[in-house]
Amino acid sequence: MKGGLWIFGLALACMPDFTAGTLVQPDFEYHKAEGVWHRLGMVTKGEESEVMGVDIKISPLPKGNLDVQQRTLVRDSCRSFSVRFKRMDRSGRFTVLFATRGKSTVHVVDTDNEIYLLLHIETGKDVGLYLYARGVEASGALKKKFKTHAKNLGFSERDIKYPDRDVKCPF
């Protein structure tokens, strides 16, 4: 019987972490997310069509927190602002206080740190899944992975957008 409990415990330890139905990347290594990421895909629900910038630059901070600079296009002009992702109880989960939107919860859904980063963000009734990559092109396999995560999180496949990469707001 002890052997069965040990195997059950090992299986639980290896399972992905779910938070209110949102998958969180197990053992997210926040320091490896450092650098510039380009938004290649998004799907949202709610009034705000966009929560995260076109491009983001992540800088690791002590205690697992992240400084996230965002560049986004507002009325044909690139704007930059910075937010702090404050680590929650586990790696891969953060809270963010936006001056105009209030508190947000950010989940790192999936990443390989070299190619892509998937962020699930909840702010009140607004929810979004964002695909970021180190490069400016999304492969078919990456789009398929994004679509699968979006569907698993309850988003409609028809609402997925792959924004025009002609919109540039570089760092």
Side-chain angles (χ1 to χ4, degrees), residues 33 35-37 55-59 67-71 171:
V36 174
W37 296 89
D55 291 327
I56 60 173
K57 183 177 182 181
I58 298 176
S59 301
D67 178 61
V68 180
Q69 296 176 24
Q70 300 184 50
R71 299 282 291 161
F171 283 96

Side-chain angles (χ1 to χ4, degrees), residues 37-44 49-56 115-121 128-139 142-147 149-150 155 157 159-165:
W37 296 89
H38 309 283
R39 187 181 68 203
L40 301 183
M42 63 188 252
V43 60
T44 60
S49 62
E50 195 171 319
V51 176
M52 292 296 289
V54 174
D55 291 327
I56 60 173
I115 298 172
Y116 69 92
L117 172 69
L118 287 173
L119 298 177
H120 181 267
I121 302 174
L129 181 66
Y130 300 86
L131 168 63
Y132 285 92
R134 300 273 190 195
V136 295
E137 294 287 325
S139 68
L142 189 52
K143 285 182 177 181
K144 184 177 180 180
K145 181 182 289 264
F146 180 63
K147 188 184 302 183
H149 279 292
F155 293 100
E157 187 176 332
D159 293 334
I160 294 174
K161 298 176 186 148
Y162 297 101
D164 185 1
R165 281 307 305 167

Side-chain angles (χ1 to χ4, degrees), residues 6-170:
W6 181 82
I7 291 172
F8 180 71
L10 181 62
L12 284 176
C14 294
M15 287 181 67
D17 182 17
F18 286 90
T19 304
T22 303
L23 180 67
V24 177
Q25 171 76 32
D27 301 322
F28 172 64
E29 297 178 82
Y30 76 101
H31 60 280
K32 290 185 178 181
E34 182 172 17
V36 174
W37 296 89
H38 309 283
R39 187 181 68 203
L40 301 183
M42 63 188 252
V43 60
T44 60
K45 290 182 192 174
E47 294 177 17
E48 286 287 327
S49 62
E50 195 171 319
V51 176
M52 292 296 289
V54 174
D55 291 327
I56 60 173
K57 183 177 182 181
I58 298 176
S59 301
L61 298 170
K63 300 180 183 177
N65 298 325
L66 301 172
D67 178 61
V68 180
Q69 296 176 24
Q70 300 184 50
R71 299 282 291 161
T72 192
L73 194 62
V74 178
R75 294 187 200 105
D76 296 327
S77 176
C78 286
R79 303 283 170 95
S80 182
F81 60 96
S82 184
V83 294
R84 178 84 31 106
F85 282 26
K86 186 176 178 195
R87 183 175 182 241
M88 292 176 69
D89 56 340
R90 287 189 161 168
S91 183
R93 285 192 283 216
F94 301 90
T95 57
V96 180
L97 293 178
F98 288 106
T100 58
R101 295 185 194 113
K103 181 179 169 185
S104 294
T105 303
V106 178
H107 300 97
V108 177
V109 175
D110 193 11
T111 185
D112 75 352
N113 293 311
E114 297 297 320
I115 298 172
Y116 69 92
L117 172 69
L118 287 173
L119 298 177
H120 181 267
I121 302 174
E122 297 176 63
T123 306
K125 293 181 181 179
D126 299 324
V127 181
L129 181 66
Y130 300 86
L131 168 63
Y132 285 92
R134 300 273 190 195
V136 295
E137 294 287 325
S139 68
L142 189 52
K143 285 182 177 181
K144 184 177 180 180
K145 181 182 289 264
F146 180 63
K147 188 184 302 183
T148 299
H149 279 292
K151 287 169 47 177
N152 289 342
L153 289 167
F155 293 100
S156 171
E157 187 176 332
R158 70 179 179 275
D159 293 334
I160 294 174
K161 298 176 186 148
Y162 297 101
D164 185 1
R165 281 307 305 167
D166 290 337
V167 175
K168 293 183 175 76
C169 289

